[in-house]
Each structure stands twice: as C-alpha cells, then as structure tokens.
Amino acid sequence: MVNVLLLHGPNLNLLGSREPEIYGTTTLADIETMVRHDVESQGGSLRAAQSNSEGALIDALHDAIGWADAAIVNPGGYTHTSVALRDAVASVSFPVVEVHLSNPAAREDFRQTSFVAPVCAGSIAGFGAAGYLAALTALRNR
Amino acid sequence: MVNVLLLHGPNLNLLGSREPEIYGTTTLADIETMVRHDVESQGGSLRAAQSNSEGALIDALHDAIGWADAAIVNPGGYTHTSVALRDAVASVSFPVVEVHLSNPAAREDFRQTSFVAPVCAGSIAGFGAAGYLAALTALRNR
Amino acid sequence: MVNVLLLHGPNLNLLGSREPEIYGTTTLADIETMVRHDVESQGGSLRAAQSNSEGALIDALHDAIGWADAAIVNPGGYTHTSVALRDAVASVSFPVVEVHLSNPAAREDFRQTSFVAPVCAGSIAGFGAAGYLAALTALRNR
Amino acid sequence: MVNVLLLHGPNLNLLGSREPEIYGTTTLADIETMVRHDVESQGGSLRAAQSNSEGALIDALHDAIGWADAAIVNPGGYTHTSVALRDAVASVSFPVVEVHLSNPAAREDFRQTSFVAPVCAGSIAGFGAAGYLAALTALRNR
Amino acid sequence: MVNVLLLHGPNLNLLGSREPEIYGTTTLADIETMVRHDVESQGGSLRAAQSNSEGALIDALHDAIGWADAAIVNPGGYTHTSVALRDAVASVSFPVVEVHLSNPAAREDFRQTSFVAPVCAGSIAGFGAAGYLAALTALRNR
Amino acid sequence: MVNVLLLHGPNLNLLGSREPEIYGTTTLADIETMVRHDVESQGGSLRAAQSNSEGALIDALHDAIGWADAAIVNPGGYTHTSVALRDAVASVSFPVVEVHLSNPAAREDFRQTSFVAPVCAGSIAGFGAAGYLAALTALRNR
Amino acid sequence: MVNVLLLHGPNLNLLGSREPEIYGTTTLADIETMVRHDVESQGGSLRAAQSNSEGALIDALHDAIGWADAAIVNPGGYTHTSVALRDAVASVSFPVVEVHLSNPAAREDFRQTSFVAPVCAGSIAGFGAAGYLAALTALRNR
Amino acid sequence: MVNVLLLHGPNLNLLGSREPEIYGTTTLADIETMVRHDVESQGGSLRAAQSNSEGALIDALHDAIGWADAAIVNPGGYTHTSVALRDAVASVSFPVVEVHLSNPAAREDFRQTSFVAPVCAGSIAGFGAAGYLAALTALRNR
Amino acid sequence: MVNVLLLHGPNLNLLGSREPEIYGTTTLADIETMVRHDVESQGGSLRAAQSNSEGALIDALHDAIGWADAAIVNPGGYTHTSVALRDAVASVSFPVVEVHLSNPAAREDFRQTSFVAPVCAGSIAGFGAAGYLAALTALRNR
Amino acid sequence: MVNVLLLHGPNLNLLGSREPEIYGTTTLADIETMVRHDVESQGGSLRAAQSNSEGALIDALHDAIGWADAAIVNPGGYTHTSVALRDAVASVSFPVVEVHLSNPAAREDFRQTSFVAPVCAGSIAGFGAAGYLAALTALRNR
Amino acid sequence: MVNVLLLHGPNLNLLGSREPEIYGTTTLADIETMVRHDVESQGGSLRAAQSNSEGALIDALHDAIGWADAAIVNPGGYTHTSVALRDAVASVSFPVVEVHLSNPAAREDFRQTSFVAPVCAGSIAGFGAAGYLAALTALRNR
Amino acid sequence: MVNVLLLHGPNLNLLGSREPEIYGTTTLADIETMVRHDVESQGGSLRAAQSNSEGALIDALHDAIGWADAAIVNPGGYTHTSVALRDAVASVSFPVVEVHLSNPAAREDFRQTSFVAPVCAGSIAGFGAAGYLAALTALRNR
C-alpha cells in the first residue's frame, strides 16, 4: 500500500473552521497532514482532494486509476444519494474505504442508507479524525 | 485504555474451523490472541468471551462494568435483531465498538439494520480480522 | 389473586444502581419489595425473578403454571422482538400484565411495536415504579 | 392530586346501554360514579364530560387549565386520528393519563397507533372499568 | 324498512349551488327530496341531516337508535379519516349503507381507504344521485 | 339501457351449490334469472356468461362491443390482480358496473385493492344478490 | 384583495398565554391585530376566527363565500389529518394561503403530510407571526 | 441418512400437556417417540432436544457437527425473529428441514417471515405431527 | 385417501426436457408416474393434469369436487399472484397440499408471498420430486 | 436471426379499431404486416399471435421452442402481474424483447413494475409501432 | 438584513425564455431585478447566482459566509434529492429561506420530500415571483 | 431528424478501457463513432458529450436547445437519483430517448426507479451498444 488517495466530499472543507465549540478545532488540513504523515512514515505517498461536486469526486477516483493502491473516502452527504459515486467506486480496482467522522447510525433516517458502503472494502464510522488512522491500520493488515 | 473486553456473538465460535477454503483458517482463538497481544503490548489487559446466547452477551457487558475501559463487540446475528443487547450497550459507560468481519452492507436486506450501531462509539466493518486492530487504533486515537 | 409472579427482563437488574441522577435511585430490589408488601398485605404470595435471557423468562412463565394467579411482566427490550415470549404468555392461562417504567410511545420507532401486548390482559406504561401498584389495582378490580 | 378531569370521547356515551350481553351493563354513568367516589374519598373533586366532537374534547382540556391537577382521558376513536387532541394534551401542564377499556393492541391495525400516548404521563389499557382505578393509583404514587 | 336516516357529511351542503358547470345543478335538497319521495312511496319515513362536524354526524347516528330501520350515509371527507364515525356505525344495529357520488377509486391515494366501509352493510359509489336510489333498491332486496 | 352483459369471474359457478349453510342456496343461475327478468321487464335483453379464465372474461367484454349498452361484472378474485381486465374495461365505451356479493372491505388486506374499480362507472358491494338489482337501478337513473 | 378571512385551528387560542418563555408572548389577539392593521391600511376588511372544531372551520370557510377575496388559514393539527378541511378549501373559489408559525418540516414525521397544502394557493412556514405579513405580501403581488 | 437431530424451539415443551381440547393430546414426547421409531426402523439413530433458549438451540446445532446426517428443526417463535439461528443452520453442512405443526401462512402477519427457511433444505408446514414423517420421507428420497 | 388429484401450473410441462444440466432430467411424466405408483400401491387412484392457464387450473379443481379425497397442487408462478386460484382452493372441501420443487424462500422477493398457502392443508417446499412423496406421507398420517 | 415470434397480450386486438382519435388508426394487423415485411426482407420468417389468455401466451412461447431465434413480446396488462409469464420467458433459451407502445413509466404506479423485464434480453417502450422496428434493429446488432 | 444572497438551482435559468404561454414571460433576470430593487430600497445589497450544479450551489453558500445576513434559495430539483445541499444550509449561520415558484405539494410524489426545508428558517411555495417578496417581508419581520 | 445530441453520464467514460473480459472492448469512442456514422449516413449531424457532473449534463441539454432535433441520453447512475436532470429533459422540446447498455430491471432495487423515463419519448435497455442504433430506428419511424 504505497500510494493512497484521500478524498473528502461536500461541506467537509468547513471542518474545524466553523463552530469549533461544537465540532472541535481539527481542520481538514489537520486531517490531511495526519494521514500524510502516517502514509509517508510507511514509505508511501498521499494525494488529497476535497470537492463539493459529485462529478469532481468521481473524476478524482478515475484519475487515481493506475496510481493509487488504496483510497480513503469520506463522501459526506453524497453517501446517501449518489449512485454515480457508488458506480465509480465499483469501477476502480484498488480498495476503497468509507470513513465518517460522526456515527450516521445515530442520526436521521435518510443517513441510514449508504449507496457507497456495499462496494467498499470496508467502512469505519464514529471515531472522528481517529477513524482515518484506523482505516490505514485496517488497509495494512487485511 | 487499559482494560478491554472482547465479545463475540453467535456462530463466531465456528470461525476458521469449518469451510476454511471459504472463510480462511483464522480461528476465533487466533483473533483473541492477536487482540490480546496488541492490548498487552500497550500495557493493557484483555478479557475475551464468546456466546451463542443473547442473555449471556448482555451478562458479559454488565459484568465488565467497573473493570473495562472499552469493549470491542462483534454481535453476529444479534446485530440485526436485539433491542436488549442495544440497551445493554447503552447502559454501560465505557465506549463500545462494533466490529464485523464481513461487510453487512453488501449482504441481505435484513443485515442492513443494526440495533447496536446507534449506541456504539463507532463501527468498523469489512476488513476481516484486521478490523479488530483498526478498532484498537481508533479507540487509542479518539 | 393470591399468588403473583413478578418478572423482569434484560438490563432491568441495573435499575437504580447506575446513573441515579438520570434514572433515580429506585432499584429493582426496591420495586420487588414494594410489590411483595402490597401482595402480602392482601394475603397473597410473590415470586420475583429477573433474567437477561429470553429463554429463562419463558422458562419462568412455564414454571409458574399451576401456582400463579397472575403475572406482572416488564419484558424490557424483548417486548419489541420476541415472538417466543409472546407465545409463552399466550400459552399460560393466568392473566399477564405488561408494565413499562417509561413510556415507549415517546421513544424510538422500534419501541412502538409490542409483540407481547396483544396477548396480555392489559398494559400499563409511563408511571415508573407506580405502574406496578396500578397493575395490582387493575388485577384486583377487573 | 385534588382536582381531576375525567374525559370520554366518541361513542362512549353508548357504554352499557346497548348490547349488554356483549359489553356488560356498566354504563358511563357507573364509571363516572366509581371514579368520583374514589377521588372524593381522597378529598378531591371530579369534573366529568363526554363528547362525540373532537373540538369539544379539546375545549374541555383547555377549560381545565388552572383547575385540574390531573386528567384521565379515554379518547375513543380519536386516539388513532387526532393530532389536534394530541397538541391539546401537550399544551396543558397537568398530567394526562390515557385509558382504554379494551386492549387496542389486540384489535385492528389502525388502532395500533396512538397520537395521544407519546404526550401522556402514562397509558393503561385492557382492564375495563378497573383501568380507571389503576390510573388513579398510578397518579397518586408517581 | 320503514324509517330511513339519510346523512351527509362535510362540504356536501355546497352540492349543486357552486360550479354547476362542473358538478351539475343537483342540490343536496334535490337529493333529499328524491330519496324522501322514494321512501314515502313505499310507506316509509325519512329523516335527513347534513353536518360539517364529525361529532354531529356521530350524534345523528346515535339519535336514530330506536327509530331507524336503515341509514344511508355519505360521509364525505370523513370516510377516509374517521375511526370515530366507523365506531358509531359499528355500534348501531340497523344496517348502514355508504354512498359516494363520485368514484373514490379513481381519485387520490388517500381516498382509497374507507374506515367506514368495513362496518357497513354495503357500499355504492360512482353513480351520482342515482346511487341513493340504488341503495334503497339494495336495502329492500337484501 | 337495452342490452346488458352480465359477467361473472372465477369460482362464482360454484355459488349456492356448495356449503349452502354458509353462502345460502342462491345459485348463479338464480342470479342470472333474476337479472334477466328485471332487464326484460324493461324491454331489454341480457347476455350472461361466467368463466374461470381471465382471458375468456376479457374476450367476453370485447365481444360485447357494438351490442351492449352496459355491463355488470363481478370479477371475483381477478378484481385484485388483473391489470389486463382493467385495461379491457377501460377499452370499451359502454359503462361497466363492478358488483361484489360480499364486502371486500371487511375481508383480507389483499382484497382492499381493486384494479377494476377506477375504470368502472361505479361499484356496489356487500348486498348479496340484491346488489345486481341495485346496479340496474343505478344504471337506469344515472 | 379587499376582504380577507383569517382562520386559526385547534389550540392556537392558547398562543402566547401559556409557556411564554418557550413560545413568546405574542398572543392570537396580537396576530389578529397585526393582520387587521395591515389589511385595513390597504383599504381592506378582516374577518378573524378561531375554533378547535374541524366542522366549525369548514363552516367558516363556507360562510366566507361571496365575501372573501382571500383567506389565510393556519389549520394547526388538522393540517395533517383533515380531508374534510382540504375539500372545503378546494370548494371555495377565493385563494387560500396556508401559514404555520413553526416549521413542520423540522418536527415529527406525521407533521410532514399536509392534506391542505395541495389545494392552497401557496404555503408559508417557519417565520412565526411574520409569516402572516409575508402571506399578505404574496397575495398582493401574485 | 443414519443420524438425525430432532430439535424443538420455545414453548413446544408444553405441547399436548395443556389445553388438550384445542391442541390435541399429542405430546412432544409422543412426537420424539414417533420420529425415533421411524429413524431406528431404518437403522438410524435419533438425538432429540428442546429448549426455550435461542442460544441453546444454536449450541445443539453446532454440537451435531460431525455426527448428524440431517436435522429436523421446529424453531417455534424463533422462526420469525432469529438471524442467529439462521446463521447457525447455514453454517452446518448437513441438510436441515424446517417443520411447523400449524400453517404459519394462515396466522398473523409477523409469522409470514421465516429467517430460517431460505437456508433450509426444505420446509413442511400445516400437517401436525404427520409433518415429521413427511420430513423423513423427503430426506430419504431427495 | 383413495382418490388424489395431482395438478401442475404454468411452465412445469417443460420440466426435465430443457436445460437438464441445471434442472436434472426428471420430467413431469416421471413425477406423475412416481406419484401414481405410490397412490395405486395403496389402493388409490390418481388424476393428473397440467395447464399454463389459471382458469384451466381452477376448472380442474372444480371438476374434482365429488371425486377427490385430496389434491396435491404445484401452482408454479400463479402461487404468488392468483387470488382466484386461492378462492378455488378455499371453495373445495377436500384437503389441498401445496408443493414446490425448489425453495421459494431462497428466491426473489415476489416469490415470498403465496396467496394459496393460507387456505391449504399444508405446504412442502425445496425437496424436488421427493416433496410429492412427502405430501402423500403427510396426507396419510394427518 | 431467421425465425421471429411476435406475441401480443390482452386487449391489443382492439388496437386501432376503437377510439382512433386517441390511439390512432394503426391496427394490430398493420403492426404484424410491418414487422413481417421487415423480417422477411432480411430472409427471415415471422410467426404472429395475440391472446387475452395468460396461459395461451405461455403456450405460444413454449411452442416456439426449437423454431424461434428470437421473440418480440408486448405482454400488455400481464406485464405487471404475471410471474408465470416471467417464468415462461426465463425458461426459453432464445432472446425475448419486451415492447410497449406507450411509456408505462409515465402512467399509473402499478405499471411501474414489470415482472417480465428482468428476464428479457432488453426492453423498448414509448415509441408506438416504431418500437417494433427498433426491437428488430437491436436484435440484429447485439 | 443588509446583505442578501439569492440562489437559484437547476433549470431555473430557462425561466420565462421558453414556453411563455405556459410559464409566463417573467425571466430569472426579472426576478433578480425585482429582488435587488427591494433589497437596495432598504439599503441592502444583493448577490445573485444560478447554477445547474449541486456542488456550485454549495460553493456559493460557503462563499457567502462572512458576508450574507440572509439567503433566499430556490433549489429546484435538488430540493428533493440533495443531502449535501441540506448540510451546506445547516452549516451556515445566517438564515436561509426556501422559495418555490410552484406548489410542490400539488405535484408528483417525489416532490413531497424536501431535504432542505427542515434546516431552513422558513419555506414559501406556490406564489410565483411574489414568493420572493414574501420571503423578504418574512425575513424583515421575524 | 437532422441534428442529434448524444449524451453520456457518469463513469461511462471508462467503458471498454477497463475489465474488457467483463464489459467487452467497445469504448465510448466506438459508440460515438457508430452513432455518428449512422446519423451522418442519413444526412444528419451529431454532437457527442460525456460528463461525470449532473450539472454539466443539464447544461449540455440546455445548450442543445435551438439546434437538436433529438437527443439520446444514457444518464448512468443519475438515472435513479436526479430530479434536476428529469426537469431538464422535461424542459426541452425535442424528443429525448433514454438508453441503457445493461438491463436495470435485472439489477439492484435502487436501479428500478428512473426519474428520467417518465419524461422521455421512449426508453431502450439491455441491448448493449446495439441499443443506440435501435434508438435511431425508433426516432426515425415514430
């Protein structure tokens, strides 16, 4: 697992910079730095991206074909509505891990369905930023 | 996170000892050894149990009150049917992590509902035995 | 109504001993004492039991055949999932009253279904420990 | 609990006066007398009303504001269809207890939903007239 | 079948007096006259009423106890929402026939459910004013 | 309304000849005779048919094109499953009346849906054989 | 838009007089005064009414036929259950605007359905008393 | 098919000993004797067990691994609620036949779902004790 | 049980003659011969029929009235859609057994509903041709 | 693709001969001629049939086994209800194309389900008679 | 309320320029001019944008953070499908008002769900362009 | 039909270039070439585009207004989730044909719903690349 794509979906660019008393002060940049450090410490390379556009997220997955050994994706709100993103995950041959900062199972009904999960290598939810490190641990040991 | 309870639900006692060409040769004992090694290497202590009985699993959670700092639970088939187990998880104050070896999201409809997930600290699914190490990583970093 | 069976289901053993600032300090022992006092003051006899196991609760109902004149059952989480417990209630000839401390109607969707209620003599919910005394009043006056 | 409002909904005025071989000979007047006796024996006062009109039942609840310490309501068929009655119960500050003579859980599907129950202090069903005495017991002991 | 109650529910008072180019010019008075003529021609007597209030319709059914040999009821919009009216129909011993001017089966989804139909002697729909004469024919020949 | 088609669906050929203590002794022939008498007394003509085959019922409707002024159809069990019969009713220009001997609204859930009703001129249910005379009354007066 | 009917449904008479720390101190009289002022300042006339009875609300709509140029209706709990009120709105030719003080979309599931909205000229929700002024603005500019 | 496991679930221990006027006087012991006789007459061996506990039934299936050539299971109420029992049936390699004394298809809605049936070799229902002999016939001839 | 009707529904005429590598080489004629042999060896008589027409299957059931002591029916695809066939089974007084070669519970969702099962004496599924012999065993021993 | 079966289901025999102002004047014979011309111009042979009977349509598919290279089927109303027709399509080895003249997706809810589509080689809908030529184009180029 | 963001979703760019006989001749530019005039007349400033892209709409909301005092959003088709847009609305601290030109409640079923409404300050629908002025009125008076 | 727009949605850019042993080696470029050749051979002109972005697909449809005589659209995963794309198709006046390479009816449940189909001129599915030629045939002959 040398090359890792880290992909964040809609609204996650606001992470940490708004309402820190609620969501904490960890920013998306902090998460990317933490993951990059972990990946590079194992001799790997990280490509990180965020977009609010469903199409751009699909493009990013397609662009990683031939380079990535694995992807960690937090699809945000597209988790629950995007068949297109699911098809993109299903069409790449490297393993994709779905990570959620919070626990969707404890939230609204419409967050109980994940179009993406059935075609992922695995899912991790509820651990905040620690979930990304868990994803790396899982990818390395499976 | 010193003391960890590792709890397995119904049919997981058969793991690895049957149909190894399908499920692999990793046994439940192998998993317990792997988790124990990881926990003890961090100076912690592991209590491991498996039962096919819903009531016995609830008893085990109750018994860990006052000792456990965290629990990792693979509820097997009770994941999808047990309100009583959910209530037990909700009634203990230490964090409980739900782990599944396979990816329930890619299986039958009745496996899409988890009564336990909404009251867990987090959920990890689809990574096989590696999911337990990921759970420990997540618990240590959250 | 001389002989009364008082049966409590999963997690109710924790009553009062944990999170007293939330659930109050009334323990299951307190409830059993209160009910026993009320029953005995009327010249009756009480048999009280609690179990986290669905099978053990069914066994307890079966064992009361030939002795009990009535049963008061708080099935806890099994209320919403146990056809087997329902069948047990339906198979005994003495009246069974379902009691809930809280008001399931004001809680999660999955608590809106009671498999047990349709075969009970009656149901009482939402009054805390007072519901047990109400159950005795109802049984004596029906 | 000095002042108690006893409120009956649609068709309950026919109680006991029709088909006595089926429903028994207890009339609504009998129930009101029984409840009044119990309330007054404790030094309290009873206000009793029945109406087939949803609006009149809401009016009665509003009119009891500032007088009633508790209400016992058998909403009859409005139990399953009236959001307005539910809102009325939610808008008064005294506790309201829902009582049903029969056991709705053992009847048609459309009787399984109670709009009123989630905002009541508690619910009692299936004990016939004895349920009203149980309601008083519960109100006094909670 | 000497004495017949003819009962109309909400908004049917507007019949014929508004938008005659759509609904025709037959008024509720015309229908009552037509039915009265038919009933009296057979030596019977008609009692006709209309109300926009659910409770008043229930009252009218109750008031007909001891007098009516049959009732013809067009419950209007209460057809689809009133458990209380259903219970009223079920509580009277004379046969009640449900009549609708239009064909609810060809209208909105929420008009596909009739709470009243299952407890009526029979149902007639879609024939306009002719449905009332059909109801009398059916009642006389059953 | 000179020419009338009377069409009966599956199992109605057994009417009256079996379990007379339950269904009465009126046979399908009795009904056809009664309807024929009523139609001919008004100078009309009746064509009567019964079939257990969905296709044969559709054929009969097609064959009546150009002859029938109206049809009275009791589709039996096909009421609830036959889109093809519905399309046949919709494709003829003469009015079709749906008649049921019993009251489907008071029977199983799957009998609550009628594919045929939305395209009929009207529906009559629950009056036994009298429903056919009611259908004729309705057709003559609409 | 000269003549405006302002109609409030069940429980809205309690507005502002109870639990002011929650709902504020604006009373129904305050709202009626505010709307009257706005209407009269444009040379119009206001007729205001409130009732807890579904039938009385329908009567009020019927009575406004021939006088009203528009109606603003807050149907309260009847929004979600009343087909009869919907039919009344559909049967008047002046435009009816549905106003809700709070945002039903953010409340319980059963408040997500409005029988009235599909036949209204428009709907406004969530702005508190300001919603009534918005309704007047909308009616004047459409 | 030499070795056969006969497994009965919750409440079936009461068979024949209670309400014989309803359920007949055949006891569970009678059924076990009948099946044992049939199995042994073919040179086979029977192991019979009953439990009210879901976990104990799973244990019994596991314990039969390596011994049983087939199992006949009447899961009682667990048929409709136990994913864990289903997983146990799926995890053993010998064929399992589901037998029900009565016909669940003719009972309550919640008895229409069998978690166990999809992973059984076959299902037999509605024949009373004769169903067990039919199961043996089917197992021998498939 | 002397006279037995054996009835097969749509597409079962193709049995064994097509795709033998999948469905095996047992033809419908083989099954009829096997069942006939078993019935005649017990001194009985068999009448066998197959049709792709829903109506013809109903006719065959009707024709067996007065002759058959029992019927074994494999309704094929009509199992899941035919209310008319259900009504036919319900209208004959001899016991009817539903047999399926495969296990519908393990197939598509729409095969989970059987309109016929609730009115059959019993059901047998999943044993291939052996299911017919099991049906005969069950019929002889019930 | 030499030999083609063209099969039409219920009510399609009325095509073009009725309500030409709505459905146009193209008859079923016109469609058969158009398809035959296209097939024969490519050196192929056409067998065309129409039936209102579900069984006859299944028979026609069975009869084409061994002759047809492809079938074009417009199942009419059976599209949405016939599991038997689906099973027939699934049991033949030549490709079957489903064609609809109109666009079921734009019609009633019950037309949104096609039992036949999942086992067809492909589906074409909404093009009127042109859809048959499109089906031939698709069959020749796939 | 000085600075206002006016945001339009997919297909609203076509407004007024196509099928003016149906939708009128008001263009999106007309609406923006009308809103700008109203905002600026109160001393405020308007930023207006339209996009067919879900991601671009989210970007626009994010970009308004720190500038906007309120936003008026017509999300078009994304209203019913976009969890991502909902999350964006929930993540900004200024009030967002949902406006629809037509009345979604009177349209297709899939338009009955708004993911955006529950997190908006309020919703206005059905008034055409006048709804935007009503939104400004509501925002100024709440 | 001179000018044709050919539009492909998300992930279809990967066609043929990945997993050719599964999906074949036909690329999107091959399909565009094939369609262009067919269109130009008839004297027409083709405009082809592919995008992973919902908004870009809507833009492409809008841009074709005034130029295109018809469009062939394979919306990929947006078929099942995009109300916005549906509205775009409905807002253009040239006919749009929906084409799918595979047969969605034979795939997952969430692929059974097409938001786009009801507003298309027609739909073609399951024929692979041949479906595009069928679409052209259908467009030319309708």
Side-chain angles (χ1 to χ4, degrees), chain I residues 10-14 18-19 23 50-54 76-78 80-81 107-108 110-111, chain J residues 53-56 58-59 62 65 81-93 115:
Chain I
N11 300 304
L12 292 163
N13 50 315
L14 296 183
R18 288 187 49 73
E19 301 181 275
Y23 296 107
Q50 187 275 339
S51 175
N52 292 326
S53 158
E54 197 174 0
Y78 290 137
H80 317 297
T81 64
R107 301 183 65 189
E108 299 96 333
F110 63 80
R111 294 195 208 268
Chain J
S53 158
E54 195 175 1
I58 296 168
D59 289 345
H62 289 181
I65 293 175
T81 65
S82 179
V83 172
L85 189 56
R86 173 201 179 101
D87 288 350
V89 170
S91 71
V92 299
S93 55
F115 279 115

Side-chain angles (χ1 to χ4, degrees), chain B residues 10-11 13-14 18 52-54 77-78 81 108 110-111, chain H residues 54-55 58-59 62 65 81 84 86-88 91 93 115:
Chain B
N11 299 303
N13 52 315
L14 297 184
R18 287 185 51 72
N52 293 325
S53 157
E54 194 174 1
Y78 291 134
T81 65
E108 300 96 332
F110 62 80
R111 293 195 210 267
Chain H
E54 194 175 1
I58 296 168
D59 289 344
H62 288 183
I65 293 174
T81 64
R86 172 202 178 102
D87 288 349
S91 71
S93 55
F115 279 115

Side-chain angles (χ1 to χ4, degrees), chain H residues 98-115:
Chain H
E98 179 193 31
V99 172
H100 293 281
L101 293 161
S102 67
N103 186 356
R107 302 182 66 188
E108 300 96 332
D109 273 6
F110 62 80
R111 294 195 209 267
Q112 304 310 306
T113 301
S114 169
F115 279 115

Side-chain angles (χ1 to χ4, degrees), chain E residues 10-14 18-19 23 50 52-54 76-78 80-81 107-108 110-111, chain G residues 53-56 58-59 62 65 81-88 90-93 115:
Chain E
N11 299 303
L12 292 164
N13 52 314
L14 298 183
R18 287 186 51 74
E19 302 183 273
Y23 297 106
Q50 187 275 338
N52 293 326
S53 157
E54 193 175 2
Y78 291 134
H80 318 297
T81 65
R107 300 182 67 188
E108 299 97 332
F110 63 80
R111 293 194 209 269
Chain G
S53 156
E54 193 176 1
I58 296 168
D59 289 344
H62 289 183
I65 293 174
T81 64
S82 179
V83 172
L85 189 57
R86 171 201 179 103
D87 288 349
S91 72
V92 300
S93 55
F115 279 114

Side-chain angles (χ1 to χ4, degrees), chain E residues 25 56 71 84 100:
Chain E
T25 54
H100 293 281

Side-chain angles (χ1 to χ4, degrees), chain F residues 50-85:
Chain F
Q50 186 275 338
S51 176
N52 292 326
S53 159
E54 195 175 1
L57 294 169
I58 296 169
D59 288 345
L61 275 168
H62 289 183
D63 291 348
I65 293 175
W67 174 84
D69 297 306
I72 299 174
V73 180
N74 181 336
Y78 291 135
T79 306
H80 318 298
T81 64
S82 179
V83 173
L85 189 55

Side-chain angles (χ1 to χ4, degrees), chain J residues 80 100-113 125-127, chain K residues 108 110, chain L residues 86 90 98 112 114-123:
Chain J
H80 317 296
H100 293 282
L101 293 161
S102 67
N103 186 356
R107 301 182 65 188
E108 299 95 333
D109 272 7
F110 64 80
R111 292 194 210 269
Q112 304 311 307
T113 301
F127 300 106
Chain K
E108 299 97 331
F110 63 80
Chain L
R86 173 202 179 102
E98 180 193 30
Q112 304 309 307
S114 169
F115 279 115
V116 176
V119 292
C120 281
S123 294

Side-chain angles (χ1 to χ4, degrees), chain A residues 40-77:
Chain A
E40 293 181 349
S41 74
Q42 306 281 324
S45 168
L46 185 80
R47 192 186 288 179
Q50 187 274 338
S51 176
N52 292 326
S53 157
E54 194 176 1
L57 295 170
I58 296 168
D59 289 343
L61 275 168
H62 288 184
D63 291 349
I65 294 175
W67 175 83
D69 297 306
I72 298 175
V73 180
N74 181 336

